[in-house]
Amino acid sequence: MKLLPCSAAKTSSPAVQSNVEDELEMATVRHRPEALELLEAQSKFTKKELQILYRGFKNECPSGVVNEETFKEIYSQFFPQGDSTTYAHFLFNAFDTDHNGAVSFEDFIKGLSILLRGTVQEKLNWAFNLYDINKDGYITKEEMLDIMKAIYDMMGKCTYPVLKEDAPRQHVETFFQKMDKNKDGVVTIDEFIESCQKDENIMRSMQLFENVI
Amino acid sequence: MAAGVAAWLPFARAAAIGWMPVANCPMPLAPADKSKRQDELIVLNVSGRRFQTWRTTLERYPDTLLGSTEKEFFFNEDTKEYFFDRDPEVFRCVLNFYRTGKLHYPRYECISAYDDELAFYGILPEIIGDCCYEEYKDRKRENAERLMDDNDSENNQESMPSLSFRQTMWRAFENPHTSTLALVFYYVTGFFIAVSVITNVVETVPCGTVPGSKELPCGERYSVAFFCLDTACVMIFTVEYLLRLFAAPSRYRFIRSVMSIIDVVAIMPYYIGLVMTNNEDVSGAFVTLRVFRVFRIFKFSRHSQGLRILGYTLKSCASELGFLLFSLTMAIIIFATVMFYAEKGSSASKFTSIPASFWYTIVTMTTLGYGDMVPKTIAGKIFGSICSLSGVLVIALPVPVIVSNFSRIYHQNQRADKRRAQKKARLARIRVAKTGSSNAYLHSKRNGLLTEALELMGTPEEEHMGKTTSLIESQHHHLLHCLEKTTNHEFIDEQMFEQNCMESSMQNYPSTRSPSLSSHPGLTTTCCSRRSKKTTHLPNSNLPATRLRSMQELSTIHIQGSEQPSLTTRPLPTTSNESQGIQGKTKVKCHK
């Protein structure tokens, strides 16, 4: 249950050369976030909430940024029974909006602001962005299958009923039947939002995490 | 769950929105945060030194003194702070544990004082971080050994449960102090080894002359007596070897071990001699075989710890010794060549060839100087003196290196063994912590089920049992529950999973709808074994033993109340509902 600090380069790669360089790089990366007032204006959180969030963030990542390895480790602490690295990878890409390989506090706040305080439209937009792995505006069956397998991997082996091999694929089929209106094999953002808005369960569950902070 | 990671729980829950469009059924309700207090600073006064921290920091570990309501006992109304009359130095480490999630052990602290403080604050020492764990364990072990030296340690003889005859024999062989019989055997074999060695030595001593013939060695004069002695010794050694072979836990490994080879080599010459007495041609070989009888002296290494350590260190310093030998060989060859060519000119020189000069070089370099070969020419004498001077250096230099290598390697081996043992313990700890957190979730699920069932039964005083989990734990469990709903599968623990696999593979078990449990002996036995395993108290888990017991009591009340408990109100998929019902019933059956 050890949580490694974000800036320590405890990578498992055998190449010594890149390790040394990485270590130097990571050790000198220090990221200071924008001023509190600016963040307050940009996001939908109050000052107090931002303070609490930043204290937690800085405690775990004294250098101010999270890289993918650390992100995966933190996320896997919550799902001890399964393997959450793949899903954490997709999640990391969804949070890392500028794709620089590290999630800073601003990225973190931007994502959380949408998820916790955004409108249903924004949340659905975020979810679409998560599923659209190559960010081309369409969710294909392969992309959805990857996401679904990642989610099922988090369940691990010991489940009831026993996980079958094609469970993710079947789930993807159900999803596409529901979402893909014109049956062209891809789901666009409009189809997605429209279908979700028609489904009561989804609408209700979107409101579930309002009071997380 | 580690403390710092709890700070990321809001993020993990927010990210769960990504599962919502994929799920096909409604999500469970989020646990309500009833106490919407603003986070406040609390002051902890420890023997005059004031520490301040956020209340939520302390609440990360709810089953310790500071994280639970136990600290209210120490609240001082007048000064509005918590006063602890304890050591402030150790408290610093304890508080840092709450802040960082890592417990450190300061080296200057006494081990028993530290243990006392940890026990007071309700923290288990097993969660000490890896950086300090080795030091802590070392100190703890030294302390325990010191305590054991004070007490008598003779009580552990009766504590051995019934070992099989073979195992007791092996124990007696390996450790002669376990019983008087083993001690007697130990001394007897030692005596006979000594007798055998002395016999071999005395055999060759010339003892007195028989009139009319030359001086005979004792072996030939009293050959019958010596033969009888030899036979007796070999009998004892053979019996001992066979007994050890019988008692060894792994015979193959025993046969390959060094001591057993020595045993065999020690007694073989006698038997070969018995077989070959009348054959003249091989009598020469037979005589050389007698040399191997001296190996009996190595049998003493079972009796001497020091000899064993010496043998082990020689083995581990083999590379250094090899280097010494190599450098010596180089020097010998160089000087022998030089001396040969220097002495080639002189007449009647003993340096007839280079190999013949080896003997001179070795004797000179090791400063023995027998004098049987000396150089006669001036050049020979000059090189001879250079040889003897350099001999001192060549031999003296590597020896301290080897000695220091001995101690370095010896200590290194000890540390490597320690680290290996600790690595296994560390992996086991990580595994236990992981299963602890997943088990906590499964337990809280059953708790929730039981709570709802009790609500149906109308026993209001037991309702509060399920609500004592901390807010963070309940939020984490809600997150896992959402994942279950998204994928339409449930988390179960390993034993139940294997049980399900067994069930699905065997077709002759009836379906899970049967209410009578007497026809399912298999289920109850696995259930019982599962239950008996769960009595260990996992660090920072949410299920102390008292709650487990109270749950069992409630279960018995439950089954006595009604024949067919109705557990159908939870909105679960139907198949898992029945299995949960059966799980509840099988649990109950075990503890009637």
Side-chain angles (χ1 to χ4, degrees), chain A residues 102-121:
Chain A
V103 167
S104 65
F105 187 61
E106 286 94 345
D107 296 333
F108 189 64
I109 288 298
K110 224 180 302 186
L112 277 186
S113 172
I114 296 177
L115 287 172
L116 300 176
R117 301 271 189 267
T119 65
V120 176
Q121 184 94 351

Side-chain angles (χ1 to χ4, degrees), chain B residues 231-245 263 267-268 270-271 299:
Chain B
T231 311
C233 293
V234 169
M235 284 294 110
I236 300 273
F237 295 152
T238 317
V239 164
E240 182 205 351
Y241 181 72
L242 290 173
L243 282 178
R244 271 183 208 265
L245 189 64
D263 285 339
I267 60 180
M268 266 305 126
Y270 177 79
Y271 288 113
K299 285 164 72 77

Side-chain angles (χ1 to χ4, degrees), chain A residues 60 78 81 131 159-161 171, chain B residues 4 8 18 22 476 489-491:
Chain A
E60 292 314 303
F78 294 106
Q81 281 197 331
Y131 301 149
T159 57
Y160 181 84
H171 205 149
Chain B
W8 287 76
V22 173
H476 185 213
H489 290 74
E490 278 189 15
F491 287 112

Side-chain angles (χ1 to χ4, degrees), chain B residues 208-495:
Chain B
T209 51
V210 171
S213 72
K214 64 178 180 24
E215 208 157 318
L216 282 175
C218 284
E220 287 175 26
R221 191 158 168 202
Y222 303 105
S223 58
V224 176
F226 278 105
F227 181 73
C228 290
L229 262 177
D230 204 21
T231 311
C233 293
V234 169
M235 284 294 110
I236 300 273
F237 295 152
T238 317
V239 164
E240 182 205 351
Y241 181 72
L242 290 173
L243 282 178
R244 271 183 208 265
L245 189 64
F246 166 68
S250 157
R251 295 201 175 117
Y252 179 60
R253 205 152 50 101
F254 174 72
I255 287 180
R256 281 191 318 176
S257 73
V258 175
M259 287 313 301
S260 118
I261 291 177
I262 289 177
D263 285 339
V264 169
V265 169
I267 60 180
M268 266 305 126
Y270 177 79
Y271 288 113
I272 295 179
L274 279 184
V275 168
M276 293 194 327
T277 25
N278 298 328
N279 202 337
E280 276 295 321
D281 296 333
V282 295
S283 64
F286 169 63
V287 166
T288 41
L289 267 182
R290 286 180 146 216
V291 168
F292 284 101
R293 292 189 302 175
V294 81
F295 272 80
R296 290 177 194 169
I297 207 171
F298 282 116
K299 285 164 72 77
F300 268 129
S301 61
R302 273 217 187 90
H303 296 248
S304 157
Q305 170 86 342
L307 212 58
R308 271 204 299 265
I309 292 179
L310 182 65
Y312 170 73
T313 41
L314 277 177
K315 195 167 57 152
S316 61
C317 269
S319 66
E320 269 75 21
L321 284 174
F323 167 69
L324 174 61
L325 212 60
F326 177 68
S327 62
L328 269 179
T329 313
M330 258 179 28
I332 287 170
I333 292 178
I334 289 173
F335 279 108
T337 315
V338 167
M339 288 308 295
F340 173 71
Y341 283 111
E343 284 290 303
K344 205 155 177 202
S346 84
S347 58
S349 144
K350 294 234 175 95
F351 294 80
T352 49
S353 64
I354 294 185
S357 315
F358 280 168
W359 175 242
Y360 169 77
T361 320
I362 291 174
V363 166
T364 312
M365 281 181 92
T366 53
T367 69
L368 279 175
Y370 288 133
D372 55 348
M373 277 165 86
V374 285
K376 295 203 174 60
T377 60
I378 296 185
K381 286 187 181 162
I382 291 174
F383 286 117
S385 38
I386 297 177
C387 175
S388 81
L389 286 175
S390 67
V392 172
L393 281 176
V394 169
I395 294 204
L397 272 179
V399 170
V401 172
I402 290 181
V403 165
S404 69
N405 268 354
F406 276 177
S407 57
R408 180 178 57 86
I409 290 176
Y410 185 68
H411 285 125
Q412 225 178 35
N413 265 346
Q414 286 211 318
R415 261 202 303 266
D417 286 337
K418 242 196 302 182
R419 241 176 299 137
R420 249 191 305 261
Q422 280 171 9
K423 178 175 174 187
K424 271 196 282 189
R426 183 165 28 123
L427 289 175
R429 271 187 300 156
I430 291 177
R431 226 189 351 255
V432 159
K434 262 200 174 178
T435 50
S437 91
S438 56
N439 283 343
Y441 173 58
L442 296 166
H443 276 125
S444 80
K445 262 208 317 190
R446 289 199 205 116
N447 271 356
L449 189 63
L450 217 48
T451 320
E452 291 201 11
L454 287 167
E455 279 167 7
L456 290 177
M457 298 278 292
T459 53
E461 65 268 13
E462 310 289 359
E463 265 177 12
H464 300 294
M465 190 200 73
K467 302 212 167 83
T468 50
T469 57
S470 75
L471 184 64
I472 289 185
E473 285 291 325
S474 59
Q475 285 177 344
H476 185 213
H477 295 163
H478 174 249
L479 183 67
L480 291 174
H481 203 170
C482 285
L483 182 61
E484 283 183 340
K485 284 300 192 82
T486 311
T487 55
N488 259 328
H489 290 74
E490 278 189 15
F491 287 112
I492 49 175
D493 58 21
E494 260 198 59
Q495 288 101 335

